Amino acid sequence: MDLNEKIKILSDSAKYDVSCSSSGSSRKNKKGGIGNAAPSGICHSWTPDGRCISLLKILFTNYCIYDCKYCVNRSSNDIPRASFTTDELVNLIINFYRRNYIEGLFLSSAVCVSPDHTMELLLKSVKRLREEFNFNGYIHVKAIPGASNALIEETGKYVDRMSINIELPSDESLKLLAPQKTKESIIKPMGLIKSGIIQYQEEKLKFKNAPQFVPGGQSTQLIVGATKENDLKILKLSEYLYNSYKLKRVYYSAYVPVSNHPNLPAISRPPLLREHRLYQADWLLRFYGFSSDELLNEEHPNFDELLDPKSGWAIRNLDKFPVEINKADYYTLLRVPGIGVKSAQRIVQGRKVSMLDFSDLKKLGIVLKRAKYFITCKGKYFPQRSIPTNPVSIKSRLLLEDNIKTHENIEQLSFFTLFPDIMAAEGEL
Amino acid sequence: MLYYIYDGTFDGLLTAIYDSYYKKDFPEQIVPQDNFTDNFLINKVYIRTDEEKSKKVHDAILQKISRGAMANIMYAYLSEHENAGIFILEYLRFGFKVGKIIDSYLADDRVNNINKLVTKVAREKHLLAGIIRFRLLQNNIYYALIEPQYNTICLLGKHFAGRMSDQVFVIHDVKRSYGVFYDKTKWFMSDIEINKDIVLHEKEIFYQELWKRYFDGITIESRLNPKLQSNHMPKRYWKYLIEMN
Ligand code: SF4
């Protein structure tokens, strides 16, 4: 089979993995070598679905011994199959990299022959890239569930990021849709990588040249909408992963219908809006100091599709508002709907030299569309005929303002969801 | 109306700043000679670029304002905005008054005008770091063509020299007819005039085809959103993108 055909098959199979971020690592180039990592990540192109291409995201092979129901590569699915040789793969990476098509490699694989056999193939590829080609660009490798500790640990020495996709957010769902995988086979390597990273970070403090281990951290992906878990359950799981496993990122992937198995929901389009709300909430956990309990509870276990999670929270907690722009501390500012990390930083910086009023805020680039219901400047509300102060009318106002541009908004959705980490820090909710 | 006209170089611009201080002038505009259209109402002062004067302004900025302010005016200059010169003068006058806290005055027009230009240039620089495409030529040079909106490629030399440290490359700004060159040891800038046909390496088309194949394969049809695509990557940059042609 020629390389064109292989690329077609093996990229097609990899595309549902949404992670493409190349951030978080600052690996340096070596003398006479090629490549380095940019800590903030770089996008190299955008596909017609609006997603950024940063890493060459590809499978080593799509031959699979497993039969996970939600997956295009499941063994029972009748699709064309292909495998790279390591030679083909490493040459492809180097030649793409030299032409500045890509920021590095995101290598994943279906499970071919056995988990260990597959993991060995991945290890061999990244080892050759690093040692034979002196390649120092970004490498993200998927750890194969069920592979031996030794293989996973050794791979960790060569890569910038590792991930194990949980995909299904509960035990029952795993049993239902991926009966050959167990929770243990996923959780165990995660724990292993976590301790490797902790050890590396400790050694780094002591010796300057401590051997690297997954310096860009680990991540995972959850599929949204293939099973019946509600948003609360998903967000709780993410929170747990951030706190206990120190994950860098949890990605959410709206389930794209690829099969009509009876255990799968019959939907025609991926639930993009829901995915979008989860990403927004995820940001609130990571950068805004929110906890999942504040955003959702058993009574309201799902996000309002019409309203972003922060506005939803603010409306339920009106006793905490309005917030005075010239006095509130940074974290309080961050909790105001419409004020993101960048805006809050600007406010804190700008008010050092003078008290801010609403026209100053505009000059600072702060969007008041949402914020105006929740803030005062020098003790006064936004000068508009009537700023409502009760939850029901604030909500209807927010929705009204959104509706003016509903169509655009829906198209804008994946803007937030699929841009690499750099957007996350800048994204304004 | 008083206009300062300089030779278009950064040194020239800093010399203009120096002269305006020395002569206590308040010019209406500071413009590069190439962008200047004369009319009879304009009083013209032609600036003689002087590296010593330029260095004095440079040192004063570092001493009395900040390193960040120096970077800001450099970026603003690269924006080639019609008001860049006068915005920079106003920003520096303000900076010499208030010192290093200048960048907290976000709501002040003198600061805001500069910040807007800086953001645009920084954004293009980051975008170009990703969307520049090298083509391998027969003589083993990696050659990239690009038509940036701002004068940004000089900001990319360091990035690519660090990254592609073992390959000879040229990044050619077609609009401004100059380029960044790297010879495996150092990078530099120079004018470019092409007088020979450019011949691709025999393998070049092969990799271009593979890249296109990849680009098509990775698109998810059920999520198509071309508007989002062109928001991120405006169409004016598509001309030299292999995957878009
Ligand atoms: S093991 Fe991976 S590739 Fe194989 S069917 Fe399951 S999810 Fe798909």
Side-chain angles (χ1 to χ4, degrees), chain B residues 177-216:
Chain B
S177 304
Y178 87 114
V180 169
F181 293 74
Y182 174 73
D183 63 4
K184 294 199 194 183
T185 51
K186 60 182 187 316
W187 69 272
F188 53 94
M189 290 178 329
S190 170
D191 290 342
I192 296 187
E193 222 178 292
I194 305 261
N195 40 26
K196 273 191 297 190
D197 275 354
I198 286 179
V199 187
L200 294 178
H201 190 275
E202 52 173 17
K203 277 289 196 185
E204 177 57 25
I205 297 297
F206 173 71
Y207 285 107
Q208 291 190 7
E209 287 305 316
L210 291 179
W211 171 239
K212 287 187 197 166
R213 201 61 58 247
Y214 175 73
F215 188 79
D216 296 341

Side-chain angles (χ1 to χ4, degrees), chain B residues 61-75:
Chain B
I61 294 171
L62 293 193
Q63 246 177 40
K64 301 204 175 111
I65 314 177
S66 67
R67 204 160 269 287
M70 188 65 214
N72 283 347
I73 63 163
M74 178 77 185
Y75 274 52

Side-chain angles (χ1 to χ4, degrees), chain A residues 64-68 70-75 109-111 181:
Chain A
C64 199
I65 54 171
Y66 291 147
D67 199 33
C68 309
Y70 55 84
C71 176
V72 263
N73 301 321
R74 63 190 182 280
S75 55
S109 185
V111 185
K181 283 188 192 158

Side-chain angles (χ1 to χ4, degrees), chain A residues 4 15 29 33 35-36 44-46 48-49 51 57 95 97-100 103 272 275 349 363 411, chain B residues 107 129-130 132-134 142 162-167 204 207 213-214 218-220 223 225 229 243:
Chain A
N4 260 299
K15 68 185 173 191
N29 200 356
N36 56 21
H44 286 253
S45 193
W46 281 266
D49 55 29
R51 299 184 309 155
K57 184 159 51 171
N95 275 288
Y97 197 88
R98 287 192 180 287
R99 288 166 175 76
N100 204 39
E103 196 58 21
L272 293 181
E275 178 195 277
Q349 203 188 1
K363 282 194 189 156
E411 273 183 37
Chain B
I132 276 178
R133 297 282 177 268
F134 290 110
Y142 285 85
R163 171 165 287 207
M164 312 297 187
S165 76
D166 70 334
Q167 75 191 37
E204 177 57 25
Y207 285 107
R213 201 61 58 247
Y214 175 73
I218 205 79
T219 303
I220 300 182
R223 299 183 70 137
N225 192 345
Q229 178 187 34
E243 64 274 25

